[in-house]
Amino acid sequence: MASTSATLTLSSSIHLLHQEPKSSLISSFTFKPNSKKTTKTLVLQSECIRFKSPFSSSSSSKKNSPFLASAVSSAVDEDVDEEVVDGGGDTVAVAPPIPSTTKPKKGKAALPLKRDRTRAKRYLEIQKLREVKKEYDVKTAVSLLKQMATTKFTESVEAHFRLNIDPKYNDQQLRATVNLPKGTGQVVRVAVLTQGEKFDEAKNAGADIVGGEDLIEQIKQGFMDFDKLIATPDMMPKVASLGKILGPRGLMPNPKAGTVTTTIPQTIEEFKKGKVEFRADKTGIVHLPFGKTNFSEEDILINLMAAVKSVESNKPTGAKGVYWKSAHICSSMGPSIRIDIKDMLDFKLA
């Protein structure tokens, strides 16, 4: 019944549009439709009331009575934005725009999906050399890896072991070191933080950089010209201030990694020869570089078996059930090759 009354009022107002004289008009409102947005604008003038219909041109609009404005305003939906403008054209009030609710993606979420990524022609060619889900014996896998190393530079050789552990529990964390018999294939720059008589001992042992509090200050200022940082136990209270700088880079001295020690000469020699630190990430995967593609197949096999034995011997006490879930090897720019775990664990060097 209320809607019928409003319709009659609006109809009668439009009927009186041409009959009411100008002198009886007091004020004017105009509703302007916006073509880009469903918004109607309310314009206040000092003499008359005008209603601009979206279906008629501005030249054909007529002046209306005061009660026409109230009838029209009652028919406007509550969700329509209104903008009040005075006769001089100055804005009195404007409805704020609706803010966007979508947030820009960051990190891995911003990367394209795997199905949308494009591979280089070289990569597409070499991945045809192996079957995607097939498990290869250790010797065949190393042979395939050598065939896939076709870049113009010497690539690193990597092993990726998925283990049945959950590192969020203390008794299932894995962090250890392995001595690669054939080395890493790269020059390792070793820095030593020590003081007193150990200072000269570190220099004579072949350390590239030796320092105390002065070296700590240099690191705070951004100096990172080293691959390994070794510290003596008496320096650790001072080294603690470098945690936020060295921690994310994996350079923070740690007893489990063998980088906090009193036997500095022996430790320097081990890292120079090919001692590598490894740890399981939060998903339980160990990523371990163990050589270069210019190594012979036999040398790659020797280093790989040393890495496997180290991961096996350092099995966390909290690990239950099947320890090894999968094992892959690859070059740094090549596709991965899946290894038969039983063959890998039972493999013996000649």
Side-chain angles (χ1 to χ4, degrees):
M1 186 68 182
S3 61
T4 306
S5 176
T7 304
L8 293 173
T9 305
L10 181 60
S11 301
S12 61
S13 301
I14 295 173
H15 179 69
L16 294 174
L17 181 63
H18 302 286
Q19 299 178 4
E20 196 158 337
K22 255 185 190 179
S23 57
S24 65
L25 303 181
I26 300 171
S27 60
S28 172
F29 294 87
T30 302
F31 291 88
K32 296 181 180 180
N34 192 333
S35 59
K36 295 183 179 179
K37 184 180 177 183
T38 57
T39 304
K40 294 185 178 180
T41 306
L42 187 65
V43 179
L44 175 65
Q45 294 183 353
S46 58
E47 291 184 358
C48 60
I49 299 175
R50 293 179 300 160
F51 175 73
K52 290 188 178 180
S53 172
F55 306 101
S56 62
S57 62
S58 58
S59 59
S60 61
S61 60
K62 301 294 180 179
K63 297 180 180 179
N64 309 320
S65 59
F67 68 89
L68 174 59
S70 61
V72 173
S73 61
S74 65
V76 178
D77 295 336
E78 293 181 359
D79 60 342
V80 175
D81 298 331
E82 291 186 359
E83 181 182 10
V84 181
V85 183
D86 62 6
D90 296 327
T91 302
V92 177
V94 180
I98 300 174
S100 177
T101 56
T102 58
K103 295 182 179 180
K105 295 181 179 180
K106 297 180 180 180
K108 292 184 178 180
L111 296 174
L113 297 175
K114 189 173 182 180
R115 64 174 180 269
D116 298 329
R117 298 176 192 170
T118 56
R119 292 287 190 178
K121 184 178 179 181
R122 181 198 66 85
Y123 186 94
L124 296 175
E125 288 295 327
I126 62 176
Q127 74 172 352
K128 295 177 183 178
L129 298 174
R130 61 96 167 97
E131 297 180 28
V132 178
K133 296 184 179 181
K134 181 178 179 180
E135 294 184 345
Y136 294 89
D137 61 85
V138 177
K139 282 190 173 182
T140 305
V142 171
S143 178
L144 281 173
L145 185 146
K146 290 279 289 181
Q147 294 178 43
M148 293 179 179
T150 59
T151 57
K152 296 180 180 179
F153 61 92
T154 303
E155 303 174 50
S156 296
V157 177
E158 305 169 358
H160 304 276
F161 304 131
R162 183 183 293 275
L163 307 175
N164 188 24
I165 57 176
D166 190 350
K168 71 180 181 181
Y169 300 107
N170 292 332
D171 61 349
Q172 295 189 42
Q173 294 177 356
L174 174 61
R175 183 172 184 177
T177 58
V178 55
N179 290 313
L180 299 176
K182 299 301 179 179
T184 59
Q186 59 186 12
V187 178
V188 180
R189 296 165 297 176
V190 178
V192 179
L193 283 169
T194 188
Q195 57 187 356
E197 59 183 14
K198 296 287 185 180
F199 198 91
D200 293 331
E201 187 179 352
K203 279 189 173 181
N204 296 331
D208 298 281
I209 303 166
V210 182
E213 294 184 7
D214 56 336
L215 181 56
I216 292 176
E217 292 299 322
Q218 290 180 31
I219 293 173
K220 287 181 179 180
Q221 294 173 8
F223 178 77
M224 289 289 169
D225 194 18
F226 52 85
D227 301 308
K228 288 291 176 183
L229 182 62
I230 300 171
T232 50
D234 58 341
M235 289 294 295
M236 287 308 294
K238 299 176 182 178
V239 177
S241 61
L242 301 176
K244 291 184 179 180
I245 302 173
L246 299 176
R249 295 174 171 83
L251 295 173
M252 188 68 179
N254 189 292
K256 291 183 179 180
T259 49
V260 178
T261 179
T262 55
T263 57
I264 292 179
Q266 180 183 351
T267 305
I268 293 174
E269 184 181 4
E270 288 176 349
F271 280 110
K272 288 280 187 180
K273 285 186 176 180
K275 188 175 184 179
V276 177
E277 178 189 357
F278 65 88
R279 64 189 302 174
D281 64 14
K282 63 181 180 180
T283 60
I285 301 176
V286 174
H287 309 279
L288 201 160
F290 63 97
K292 295 284 186 179
T293 52
N294 59 357
F295 285 16
S296 65
E297 291 186 15
E298 183 180 356
D299 289 349
I300 293 176
L301 273 172
I302 292 172
N303 278 357
L304 176 60
M305 288 300 103
V308 171
K309 288 179 181 178
S310 180
V311 174
E312 180 69 21
S313 61
N314 287 284
K315 179 180 179 179
T317 56
K320 300 177 181 178
V322 178
Y323 181 47
W324 294 84
K325 296 180 73 175
S326 67
H328 295 77
I329 60 172
C330 66
S331 61
S332 56
M333 301 296 290
S336 61
I337 305 163
R338 187 162 186 165
I339 299 177
D340 186 341
I341 293 176
K342 187 177 184 304
D343 179 79
M344 179 184 71
L345 296 176
D346 295 339
F347 184 81
K348 294 182 179 180
L349 295 168

